[in-house]
Amino acid sequence: MVKKEQDLQKVVEKAISAQKVPHVKFKGIDPRDIDVARLTKPSKETRQERWGKGLTFLAIILIVILIIAIIGFVGSHGLATFFNDKVNIFKFLFSSDWNPSAGKDHVGAAAMIVTSFAVTLLAALIATPFSVAVALFMTEYVSHKRANLLQSVIELLVGIPSVVYGFLGLTVVVPLIRTIFGGTGFGILTATLVLFVMVLPTITSLTVDAFKAVPKELRKSSAALGATKWQTIYHVVLRAARSRIMTAIIFGMARAFGEALAVQMAIGNAVLMPFNLVSPAATLTSQLTSQMGNTVMGTLPNNALWSLALLLLVMSLFFNFLVHLIGKKG
């Protein structure tokens, strides 16, 4: 450290002695007046930067540890069904016989898997045209002030709790479906309509961001070539934003796939292979929320439910992988 200070002292003395700029005066300044030790110490800004980097790095480590802990905890309990209870994984995935209390030969989640995908896909299929239309209206046809008003309404839909959506589905949608189609009113169609309203704000907000990200120069260039407003939207805006729109749809599907309480209140929660859209059924999440409190930790029924949770976790990771894949491919 002493050698570094001596070297820096020599550099300072050499710089002062070699100073020949006429408008800079060093009269009265002696090289020994330069506090070399202070120059070698980290400044306040440097210390703040080090603290900031340290805290950021610590936060990243904690998040990674948390994610690994969640995956490890769910994975260890979910895989116990296959390693400890000797349940056949193919029978678990492709059998619709779900009664874990009766033994390992009755642990089949196919009915819930099919229902979960059916509800998710139908909700996304219905919500996507509405979301794209609303996003186009907000970005292409109305003023900025009115678009902000619509954005506030959409954000209000996001803030409504799931139980409220489920209660509305139970008191409004279920009687409506019962009146029109007969039966109990519970089923995939009812859950789809509830999820449609729930995923609509998510897909709409992300689609609005996608349209805003399209450069204005593309719109002006299209108009300069004589294209109409709709031709510009169809041939330029939609095509330029299609990867972001796909990302929005996948985020909406992930939201629908993981929804539990609202679906449980609207679908009927009967573990049966759905043969139509208006018969009671059950999803992975609805079965988890309704049965997890009725099982004993470590037993086959409890491990089977943890296997459903592991399947949900895998699907969530799959949706995130799709988002990154679409973003990478453009």
Side-chain angles (χ1 to χ4, degrees):
M1 186 67 184
V2 176
K3 187 177 183 305
K4 288 184 178 180
E5 292 184 0
Q6 292 175 351
D7 293 340
L8 184 58
Q9 184 73 40
K10 292 179 181 179
V11 172
V12 172
E13 292 176 357
K14 186 177 180 180
I16 293 178
S17 61
Q19 178 58 253
K20 297 180 180 180
V21 181
H23 60 273
V24 178
K25 297 181 179 181
F26 285 100
K27 288 184 177 181
I29 298 180
D30 190 271
R32 291 173 294 180
D33 295 334
I34 306 299
D35 191 353
V36 178
R38 185 178 178 183
L39 292 176
T40 57
K41 290 181 180 179
S43 64
K44 180 181 178 181
E45 290 75 13
T46 303
R47 291 194 298 270
Q48 290 176 346
E49 184 177 357
R50 289 177 180 175
W51 270 102
K53 288 182 178 179
L55 292 175
T56 304
F57 186 68
L58 179 61
I60 293 174
I61 292 176
L62 291 177
I63 291 174
V64 172
I65 292 175
L66 179 62
I67 293 173
I68 294 175
I70 292 174
I71 295 176
F73 184 80
V74 176
S76 62
H77 285 78
L79 294 176
T81 305
F82 311 110
F83 291 101
N84 299 341
D85 300 316
K86 307 302 180 183
V87 173
N88 190 309
I89 187 171
F90 294 101
K91 196 166 187 178
F92 173 78
L93 294 174
F94 300 107
S95 173
S96 59
D97 183 9
W98 178 262
N99 188 16
S101 301
K104 65 178 184 179
D105 295 329
H106 301 275
V107 184
M112 292 172 284
I113 295 173
V114 171
T115 304
S116 296
F117 276 101
V119 171
T120 300
L121 292 174
L122 287 174
L125 188 64
I126 298 174
T128 298
F130 285 92
S131 299
V132 173
V134 173
L136 285 175
F137 182 75
M138 292 173 60
T139 56
E140 304 294 332
Y141 289 101
V142 297
S143 63
H144 184 69
K145 184 177 181 180
R146 293 182 179 178
N148 289 337
L149 179 61
L150 289 173
Q151 185 68 34
S152 301
V153 175
I154 293 173
E155 292 173 355
L156 180 63
L157 292 175
V158 175
I160 297 176
S162 299
V163 64
V164 175
Y165 284 111
F167 184 72
L168 290 174
L170 185 64
T171 56
V172 177
V173 183
V174 170
L176 181 64
I177 298 297
R178 185 189 302 129
T179 302
I180 297 175
F181 298 101
T184 62
F186 296 97
I188 293 178
L189 181 59
T190 306
T192 298
L193 295 177
V194 174
L195 283 179
F196 154 68
V197 181
M198 296 183 69
V199 303
L200 184 67
T202 301
I203 301 178
T204 302
S205 298
L206 294 175
T207 306
V208 168
D209 294 336
F211 290 151
K212 288 182 178 180
V214 177
K216 293 182 178 179
E217 288 75 12
L218 294 179
R219 297 178 175 86
K220 294 179 180 179
S221 300
S222 178
L225 293 173
T228 63
K229 182 78 170 179
W230 176 248
Q231 287 176 329
T232 300
I233 291 174
Y234 182 75
H235 293 287
V236 177
V237 178
L238 288 176
R239 297 199 178 194
R242 60 185 175 184
S243 62
R244 291 174 177 264
I245 295 174
M246 286 298 299
T247 301
I249 295 172
I250 293 175
F251 270 119
M253 292 176 64
R255 171 81 169 87
F257 198 87
E259 181 53 45
L261 188 57
V263 175
Q264 179 190 349
M265 298 173 69
I267 203 169
N269 207 33
V271 188
L272 301 171
M273 185 64 73
F275 56 89
N276 58 46
L277 298 180
V278 292
S279 61
T283 62
L284 296 169
T285 52
S286 66
Q287 188 67 12
L288 274 171
T289 54
S290 62
Q291 298 299 321
M292 186 58 81
N294 300 326
T295 59
V296 179
M297 198 72 173
T299 60
L300 176 59
N302 184 266
N303 289 338
L305 292 176
W306 278 110
S307 297
L308 298 183
L310 178 61
L311 187 58
L312 282 170
L313 180 61
V314 171
M315 288 307 304
S316 176
L317 295 176
F318 175 71
F319 282 128
N320 281 277
F321 171 76
L322 281 182
V323 170
H324 288 291
L325 182 64
I326 292 175
K328 184 178 180 180
K329 296 294 183 181

